[in-house]
Amino acid sequence: MSIYNLVYSSCAQLNPDNAVDLAMIDDILAIARQRNAAVDVTGALLFTEGKFVQALEGDRTAVRATYARIAADPRHDNVEILSSQFSDRRRFKQWSMAFVGDNEALRDRFGDSPLAALGKKPAGDALLDFMLELARSSDETLAAS
């Protein structure tokens, strides 16, 4: 079975104090996990530096519908597809939506700008593997705490 992968980035809509409302991120995750499980979409969400990078995978129709909802969501600005492709396997099968937040382990590994580790314009398998590495290391950090 062929799995469709899509990775996008967006800027988080900031509140008047130019801060991100952490409750907003919790809300995004709760809804994403529920909706994704219902349509067999899996993936990972990275939030750092006021930006989201999210990998989605599953049936093409379900992934594209999920992305369309996100692109129309006013909590996201400047939504841009970084990569879309078909793959022979799921990378995020254990997560309806893994989350990697702006944490000490992420900064220890990638410095003050984790998004710079993505390079100029990564795509395809390299971008998916980077997101998977982040999701796994985030799980390991949570398990250790």
Side-chain angles (χ1 to χ4, degrees), residues 12 16 24 31-32 34 36 40 86 123:
M24 174 189 77
I31 291 169
Q34 181 182 18
N36 290 354
D40 198 27
F86 284 95

Side-chain angles (χ1 to χ4, degrees), residues 1 3 5 39-43 57-59 87-93:
M1 176 170 134
I3 300 297
N5 299 290
V39 294
D40 198 27
V41 169
T42 54
E57 64 184 4
D59 173 76
S87 178
D88 59 352
R89 65 185 170 96
R90 282 186 189 261
R91 285 175 171 79
F92 306 97
K93 62 185 169 197

Side-chain angles (χ1 to χ4, degrees), residues 5-8 53 55 80-86 91 117-131:
N5 299 290
L6 184 145
V7 181
Y8 76 88
V53 178
E80 174 187 9
I81 293 176
L82 301 177
S83 177
S84 64
Q85 66 182 34
F86 284 95
R91 285 175 171 79
L118 288 173
K120 295 219 183 248
K121 190 82 168 172
D125 289 336
L127 182 54
L128 290 165
D129 290 341
F130 177 76
M131 292 293 292

Side-chain angles (χ1 to χ4, degrees), residues 2-23:
S2 192
I3 300 297
Y4 183 70
N5 299 290
L6 184 145
V7 181
Y8 76 88
S9 68
S10 69
C11 295
Q13 186 68 295
L14 301 175
N15 68 26
D17 298 327
N18 284 333
V20 174
D21 181 357
L22 296 179

Side-chain angles (χ1 to χ4, degrees), residues 1-144:
M1 176 170 134
S2 192
I3 300 297
Y4 183 70
N5 299 290
L6 184 145
V7 181
Y8 76 88
S9 68
S10 69
C11 295
Q13 186 68 295
L14 301 175
N15 68 26
D17 298 327
N18 284 333
V20 174
D21 181 357
L22 296 179
M24 174 189 77
I25 295 172
D26 289 340
D27 185 50
I28 288 171
L29 283 169
I31 291 169
R33 287 174 175 150
Q34 181 182 18
R35 286 182 175 167
N36 290 354
V39 294
D40 198 27
V41 169
T42 54
L45 175 66
L46 166 64
F47 177 73
T48 187
E49 301 169 57
K51 295 185 184 219
F52 294 106
V53 178
Q54 185 172 20
L56 300 166
E57 64 184 4
D59 173 76
R60 184 180 190 277
T61 302
V63 168
R64 293 301 294 196
T66 300
Y67 172 74
R69 266 195 320 275
I70 292 164
D73 188 325
R75 297 173 294 188
H76 298 267
D77 281 335
N78 303 322
V79 183
E80 174 187 9
I81 293 176
L82 301 177
S83 177
S84 64
Q85 66 182 34
F86 284 95
S87 178
D88 59 352
R89 65 185 170 96
R90 282 186 189 261
R91 285 175 171 79
F92 306 97
K93 62 185 169 197
Q94 65 266 38
W95 299 288
S96 60
M97 187 51 54
F99 177 68
V100 181
D102 199 355
N103 61 48
E104 187 175 335
L106 184 67
R107 296 220 176 257
D108 283 350
R109 178 145 190 197
F110 297 107
D112 287 337
S113 182
L115 293 178
L118 288 173
K120 295 219 183 248
K121 190 82 168 172
D125 289 336
L127 182 54
L128 290 165
D129 290 341
F130 177 76
M131 292 293 292
L132 180 59
E133 179 182 350
L134 290 176
R136 284 183 177 150
S137 57
S138 181
D139 266 7
E140 290 166 8
T141 301
L142 288 175

